[in-house]
Amino acid sequence: MPFKHSLSSITFCLLSPKPFARLSPGTLAIAMAGTPEKLSTAAEDDDVKFGFQRSEMYQSKLGGTVTSYDRHLFLCYKSHETWPSRVESSDSDLLPKSLAAALKARKDDIKIKTLLTICEVRDGMEVSDGDILVFPEMIKYRDLKESDVDAFVDDVVVNGNPWSSGLKESLNGSYVFICAHNNRDRRCGICGPILIEEFSKAIEFKGLKDKVRVTACSHIGGHKYAGNVIIFSSGKDGEIVGHWYGYVTPDDVPALLDEHIGEGKVIERIWRGQMGQHEKVTDKVEEQRVPEVTNEEKKPLENGSQETSATGFSCCQGDAGVSCCRDANAEKKESKKGRGTVSNWFGKWEQREILTAVGMVGAVAVVAMAYGFYKKSR
C-alpha cells in the first residue's frame, strides 16, 4: 500500500497527473515565483528526465552491481546541497580531501578493503562536522580534524585499533544513507531528497526515530540506478550488514522499513548487493547477477570509470578505468587456441602429402601393369 504523503507533497502531486512528480528543493526555489501551471511543468520535466519516471528506470539488472568491500567509512560533513561534484578532491573542502588522500596513500597497507563516503550532518543523526561512522563495527569517532587524519588512518584503518586521540562511541539501531549528490548527478539530486523526506515521514509515523536514522550521502556509484539507498542494520543472524538498493521509489519505503529493517528480509527486486559479498553469491539472487564476461567484453558501469568512491581501492583498476589484471584462463584459452591452429595446419599439410604420395604410387603401379601386359602380348 503506498505510503501516505504530507499535505505539502499532496499539493504538488495534485498539480500533476503523474506519480512522484514532486519538486526537488532546487527546482522548487526556481519555480516558486511562477504560476501553478509552471510549477507542475517543472516538476514533470524533472521527473521525466531525471526522476522516478525516467525511461531508464528498471532497464538494467541490479544484482551484482556493488563492488566487493568489507568496511565503510562515512565522514559527516556539511550539507549535500553544498558538496561539489568531487567533494573528496575539492580544494575548498580540505577535510574530505585530506582523508581521501591519506587512505589512498596507505592503500597498500590496508588489509580490509575500505570505502569512503561523505554523509550529511542532519537533524536526528546526532553527528557534527568531522565525525566518522565506521561500519560494520558500528563505531562513531568524534571531531576529526585535518591534523588528525594521518593518525586516524594509521590507528583505525591500517592497524584496526581504536583511535588513540579520539572519542569512541557505539552506534545503535539502523542507518539509511541515500545518495542525493546533485552536483555530481542530477538523477540522484532529484530522487535522493524525495526519498529522504519519505523515509523521515515514515520513521516518525511508525515511531522509529530512536531506532532508524536517515541522511544524504555522496556518490556511491551507479547514478543510473537512482534512487540509490544503503541500509546498515542487523540481519536475522544479528550481524550488521550494509545492503545496497537501486531504483528505489517512495512506494518502496514502507517495505524497506517493515521488511528489511524490521524483519531482516532482502527486497530482491531492487537489491544491488551487499558489503562483504565477494565471488560467492547466495542462491536467491543468482538469477539477478550480471552475466560473467571476458576481459575484452568488460566495460565500466558508467562515465568511463569503474570508481565507486574516492577510496574504493581495487588492484585491477588502472588509469581511466582500464584493467591492469590479466585473466589467466583467457591466456590459457588463447594459448590453446594458437596451438590448435598450428596443429590443424600441420595436420592438413600432412594429409595432403600422404594423398599425393599414394597417388604417385598408384600411378607407378598402373604404368608397370600396362607395360607387363604389353610385353606379354608381343
Side-chain angles (χ1 to χ4, degrees), residues 164-179:
S164 58
S165 59
L167 178 62
K168 174 182 174 181
E169 299 178 14
S170 296
L171 300 175
N172 57 71
S174 301
Y175 285 77
V176 179
F177 297 94
I178 301 173
C179 184

Side-chain angles (χ1 to χ4, degrees), residues 58-65 224-225 247 271 287-291:
Y58 310 113
Q59 295 302 307
S60 299
K61 290 184 178 180
L62 293 172
T65 60
K224 67 181 179 180
Y225 307 125
Y247 294 141
W271 189 77
E287 61 183 18
Q288 291 187 352
R289 276 190 65 82
V290 177

Side-chain angles (χ1 to χ4, degrees), residues 43-64:
E44 287 186 30
D45 288 347
D46 270 355
D47 200 44
V48 170
K49 292 178 182 178
F50 310 110
F52 304 110
Q53 297 296 321
R54 66 186 190 277
S55 60
E56 68 181 359
M57 284 288 285
Y58 310 113
Q59 295 302 307
S60 299
K61 290 184 178 180
L62 293 172

Side-chain angles (χ1 to χ4, degrees), residues 323-374:
S323 175
C324 60
C325 293
R326 180 63 174 165
D327 188 345
N329 291 330
E331 289 182 347
K332 290 180 181 178
K333 289 179 180 178
E334 290 181 4
S335 177
K336 288 181 180 179
K337 182 179 179 181
R339 288 200 301 269
T341 302
V342 173
S343 181
N344 290 340
W345 187 85
F346 274 111
K348 292 178 180 178
W349 182 82
E350 291 172 358
Q351 187 177 19
R352 288 196 297 268
E353 291 294 318
I354 291 171
L355 291 175
T356 301
V358 169
M360 291 179 64
V361 171
V364 171
V366 170
V367 171
M369 291 176 63
Y371 181 72
F373 282 121
Y374 172 74

